[in-house]
Amino acid sequence: MATQSDGTPVLDLITSMNLSSLEAADLDPQALMLVRIAALVAVDAPPASYLINLGAAAETGVEVEQVQAVLAAVAPIVGTPRVVSATGKIATALGLALEALDPVE
């Protein structure tokens, strides 16, 4: 098995998987990010995953109303508990983002 010389094998793998996914998906950037957010809800992802993906989604122009529409669209499939969990984790992720922006006094 090949070894990574830069000491970040997990980050390298995640980056490689994401690049492969972007190349394989024939979706515009906004649609791709909305699909990813739906997948995060489905797998009950942690706040850090929402933080990363919501940031990327915002960079593509995805708006809050679109994320809300995704939550409403997947609710009948994944169930209310997953959507409620996702909403709480999104709020936590946004709180983490705000904390990162706020200088320590």
Side-chain angles (χ1 to χ4, degrees):
M1 176 163 55
T3 59
Q4 298 290 328
S5 61
D6 61 5
T8 59
V10 175
L11 181 58
D12 294 342
L13 176 61
I14 291 169
T15 300
S16 174
M17 289 183 338
N18 277 291
L19 290 174
S20 294
S21 173
L22 292 173
E23 291 171 3
D26 188 20
L27 298 170
D28 65 79
Q30 284 188 352
L32 179 66
M33 293 314 304
L34 292 172
V35 168
R36 285 177 177 241
I37 291 166
L40 293 176
V41 176
V43 299
D44 201 24
S49 293
Y50 285 102
L51 181 62
I52 292 166
N53 284 278
L54 289 171
E59 290 177 12
T60 69
V62 169
E63 298 188 7
V64 171
E65 294 80 12
Q66 291 173 288
V67 174
Q68 291 170 334
V70 166
L71 294 174
V74 301
I77 306 299
V78 301
T80 303
R82 284 281 166 100
V83 173
V84 170
S85 176
T87 303
K89 291 174 180 180
I90 289 170
T92 299
L94 295 175
L96 293 171
L98 291 174
E99 284 180 25
L101 294 174
D102 191 26
V104 177
E105 295 179 26

